[in-house]
């Protein structure tokens, strides 16, 4: 055996060097694992966002749920402010809700209180604010449509106690529902404003109400300024036309249903309307019309600029 064939001498064991090598190995492994996890999280986040926003899903969420939220809260002026905030598990949008008041009155929090409406990864809507629990005077007036509460003789007493110059927010209920043409003629007679129209009689519950800020955001604005009632019904029917059978589950969360919406849109009958621009004096005339079942005053305010 030559010297070249002899085995190399074993180096002395160095505990410090061994520990350093182990630490380097652990660190490299941890960095590799963390990088892989980060990539997976980013992929899941971006991927889920892409999946949730596929096609027109994001726009349709605000078209369907945003408008349903407005119908769910007819006593509020509602504005959709932010669309499509997306997380790995949900999409959401922000709305600002402000109680309707008689025009000319002071509204606390003019910009409205913000609420978030959320749709989860599977398309189900989350817990909703306001609705039947809002409890405003206008909400109660709308829920009384069809109940027979506050008949004409009682409403006359309320109107008699108030100065005729007060601006009022009122619900005018008809003895029998009117067609669109009849409603146009009625409001023209009294120079009244059907800002929102009640398209069903649903005693003690919030009825389907449409118009004004409740309109579908993507619906076209009225072509003629003197035909808002006709265009409101057309836009209501257009919105109901985009609804699908699978929307029914979410609509139930808004205290709505496809069957009720389709019937109301198809019938197109006005059971009542909301006027935020009238006065007590004008309501005293309206309540005497035989077409009117009753008038419910929801708010009053004095217009200091009225001569």
């Amino acid at each position: 055996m030559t010297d070249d064939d002899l085995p190399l001498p074993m180096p002395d064991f160095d505990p410090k060097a061994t520990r350093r090598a182990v630490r380097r190995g652990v660190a490299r492994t941890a960095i590799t694992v963390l990088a892989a996890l980060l990539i997976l999280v980013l992929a899941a986040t971006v991927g889920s966002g892409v999946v949730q926003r596929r096609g027109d899903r994001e726009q349709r969420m605000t078209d369907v749920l945003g408008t349903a939220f407005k119908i769910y809260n007819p006593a509020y002026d509602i504005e959709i402010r932010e669309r499509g905030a997306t997380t790995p598990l949900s999409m959401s949008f922000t709305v600002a809700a402000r109680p309707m008041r008689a025009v000319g009155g002071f509204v606390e929090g003019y910009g409205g209180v913000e609420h978030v409406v959320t749709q989860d990864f599977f398309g189900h809507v989350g817990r909703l604010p306001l609705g039947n629990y809002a409890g405003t005077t206008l909400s109660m007036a709308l829920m009384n449509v069809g109940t027979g509460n506050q008949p004409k003789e009682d409403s006359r007493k309320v109107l008699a106690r108030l100065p005729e110059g007060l601006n009022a927010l009122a619900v005018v209920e008809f003895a029998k529902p009117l067609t669109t043409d009849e409603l146009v003629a009625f409001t023209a007679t009294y120079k009244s404003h059907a800002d929102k129209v009640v398209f069903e009689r649903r005693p003690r519950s919030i009825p389907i109400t449409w118009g004004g800020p409740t309109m579908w955001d993507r619906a076209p604005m009225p072509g003629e300024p003197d035909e808002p009632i006709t265009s409101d019904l057309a836009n209501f029917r257009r919105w109901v036309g985009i609804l699908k059978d699978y929307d029914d589950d979410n609509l139930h969360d808004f205290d709505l249903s496809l069957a009720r919406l389709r019937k109301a849109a198809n019938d197109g009958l006005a059971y009542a309307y909301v006027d935020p621009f009238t006065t007590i004096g004008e309501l005293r005339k309206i309540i005497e019309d035989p077409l009117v079942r009753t008038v419910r005053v929801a708010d009053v305010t004095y217009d200091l600029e009225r001569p």
Side-chain angles (χ1 to χ4, degrees), residues 9-238:
M10 293 289 293
D12 294 336
F13 177 70
D14 187 345
K16 293 182 179 180
T18 301
R19 285 195 292 270
R20 286 196 297 271
V22 170
R23 284 197 293 267
R24 285 196 298 270
V26 171
R28 282 196 295 268
T29 301
I31 291 171
T32 302
V33 171
L34 289 174
L37 289 174
L38 179 61
I39 292 171
L40 288 173
V41 169
L42 289 174
T45 302
V46 175
S48 65
V50 170
V51 169
Q52 292 195 75
R53 290 191 294 266
R54 64 189 182 276
D56 65 346
R57 192 168 184 264
E58 186 175 26
Q59 181 63 60
R60 195 173 189 280
M61 175 184 67
T62 52
D63 284 349
V64 174
L65 302 187
T67 305
F69 186 80
K70 293 179 179 184
I71 299 174
Y72 183 56
N73 293 287
Y76 288 78
D77 290 329
I78 293 172
E79 173 193 358
I80 297 177
R81 289 190 170 173
E82 295 180 14
R83 302 169 185 260
T86 304
T87 71
L89 298 178
S90 67
M91 291 193 300
S92 64
F93 59 93
T94 302
V95 299
R98 181 166 56 94
M100 286 187 69
R101 298 290 304 273
V103 170
F106 172 76
V107 179
E108 185 177 356
Y110 178 80
V113 177
E114 289 194 343
H115 302 278
V116 176
V117 179
T118 303
Q119 176 179 286
D120 68 22
F121 187 81
F122 301 101
H124 301 140
V125 68
R127 183 179 180 276
L128 294 169
L130 304 177
N132 290 328
Y133 304 101
T136 68
T137 52
L138 180 53
S139 296
M140 299 306 296
L142 289 169
M143 293 173 72
N144 272 315
V145 171
T147 62
N149 293 340
Q150 199 174 350
K152 275 191 176 185
E153 53 268 28
D154 292 344
S155 292
R156 286 192 187 102
K157 294 175 183 178
V158 173
L159 295 173
R161 292 197 300 265
L162 298 170
E164 68 174 14
L166 287 181
N167 291 347
L169 169 69
V171 176
V172 177
E173 181 183 351
F174 296 114
K176 293 182 179 179
L178 304 187
T179 65
T180 299
D181 290 341
E182 291 169 338
L183 179 59
V184 169
F186 180 89
T187 54
T189 298
Y190 296 100
K191 295 181 174 57
S192 190
H193 301 269
D195 192 63
K196 295 185 178 183
V197 178
V198 178
F199 284 109
E200 69 172 351
R201 181 174 288 134
R202 193 176 178 231
R204 298 177 181 82
S205 298
I206 294 293
I208 293 171
T209 306
W210 182 279
T214 306
M215 284 178 57
W216 178 23
D217 287 347
R218 295 177 68 196
M221 296 300 291
E224 298 294 334
D226 59 343
E227 296 181 354
I229 295 173
T230 302
S231 60
D232 276 359
L233 176 58
N235 290 334
F236 176 41
R237 286 172 169 167
R238 287 184 65 247

